Every structure is written in structure tokens, then in C-alpha cells.
Amino acid sequence: MNKFITFTFLLFSLFSFGQNRNEIISIMKEYSANIGKPNYSHEFVDKKLNPALVKLETIVCKNNDKELFHYFLDMILATSGSANETPADVLGGIFICQTDLVITELKGNYKIESLIEDLNFGFGNRTFNVNDRPSNYKELKLRIKEISN
């Protein structure tokens, strides 16, 4: 029984988190270049892009991967106007785990109002439920205001 549970967990991990950094970058670039085309609508977003973005959040949070974060911000900018909320939610999640990275980029080369709006939206989604709020929630809210000024 233990072998079955272990195998199931490994199989789930492979399918859920099997994308590596280069595959994530490739998916984001493909989506950015083809947004609005029929083959890149809901199915692509739900089955390829959003799982890749969840993995991206994990990588950036764990490794403080500035280059991968830049690719992510570039994708958000290239696909502005998309109804997909996952990029904003992932940006909010990265802000919670790598606050300084996000602030540095959104006050520097990526000081773009739409990204700050996405951050506000995604952070709001991530912290909507009081039980999901990090212990430094109030400080993070103030830091978002700092970016906006």
C-alpha cells in the first residue's frame, strides 16, 4: 500500500510540477505571441499557461529568480486586456513571498501603472479571505501603496 501511495504522489508531482524553467518561458512566449488567436484561448490558458504560471510562482518564490520574473512581467504586459486573472494572482503571490524583488522591479524598469494595478488586484484576491492573509499583511498593504507613489 505504501508503494502505491508513493507512486501516486510521484506521478502527481510529475504531472503537476513537471514543467521546468525553460518550458515555462517557452509557454509564456508562445502565449504572448499568439494571444487572441483561436488556438490560444481558454483551452491553452487552462491546460498550459495557468499551470505553468503556478509553477513559475513556486520557482520565483523559492529561488528569487529575477530573470524568470522579468519574463513573467513581459508576458503580463504583452497580454494586457486578457480576462485571465491567474497572472495577477501569481503576481500577488510572488509579492507575498519575494516582496523586495517585486518592489524593486515595479519601482524600476517595470514602473508601469497596469502592473501596479495587477499587483493590487492579485494581492487582493490572494488575501481576500482573512484566514489566508500572511502575518505581515498590513505591512505589505503599505508597501503596495509605496510602489504606487
Side-chain angles (χ1 to χ4, degrees):
M1 183 67 171
N2 283 342
K3 288 181 183 181
F4 175 76
I5 292 171
T6 303
F7 176 76
T8 303
F9 175 76
L10 290 174
L11 192 60
F12 174 78
S13 297
L14 175 65
F15 285 112
S16 298
F17 304 109
Q19 295 164 320
N20 68 35
R21 185 178 185 280
N22 291 334
E23 289 171 324
I24 293 167
I25 293 168
S26 177
I27 290 168
M28 289 189 300
K29 285 182 173 182
E30 181 180 0
Y31 181 64
S32 296
N34 294 290
I35 188 167
K37 294 180 182 174
N39 292 343
Y40 293 88
S41 61
H42 299 293
E43 187 171 336
F44 182 87
V45 169
D46 291 342
K47 293 187 177 180
K48 286 188 99 175
L49 180 67
N50 288 348
L53 296 181
V54 171
K55 179 61 177 174
L56 174 140
E57 180 180 344
T58 301
I59 293 169
V60 173
C61 284
K62 182 178 179 184
N63 301 325
N64 195 22
D65 190 328
K66 185 176 179 178
E67 181 184 28
L68 185 58
F69 187 61
H70 287 176
Y71 278 111
F72 173 61
L73 294 176
D74 290 338
M75 185 220 57
I76 291 175
L77 292 171
T79 61
S80 66
S82 168
N84 186 13
E85 293 183 6
T86 301
D89 292 349
V90 168
L91 182 57
I94 293 171
F95 178 71
I96 291 169
C97 69
Q98 291 291 348
T99 306
D100 291 336
L101 171 65
V102 175
I103 288 174
T104 299
E105 298 310 314
L106 295 188
K107 288 183 86 172
N109 292 334
Y110 289 92
K111 187 173 178 133
I112 300 167
E113 187 63 32
S114 65
L115 288 175
I116 296 167
E117 290 169 3
D118 286 343
L119 173 59
N120 270 304
F121 183 78
F123 183 74
N125 282 349
R126 284 294 179 96
T127 59
F128 179 75
N129 185 338
V130 175
N131 295 327
D132 293 336
R133 291 181 179 169
S135 59
N136 62 341
Y137 171 78
K138 289 181 182 179
E139 176 192 340
L140 292 174
K141 286 290 287 181
L142 290 174
R143 299 213 50 200
I144 289 176
K145 286 182 181 178
E146 170 187 312
I147 296 171
S148 300
N149 297 329

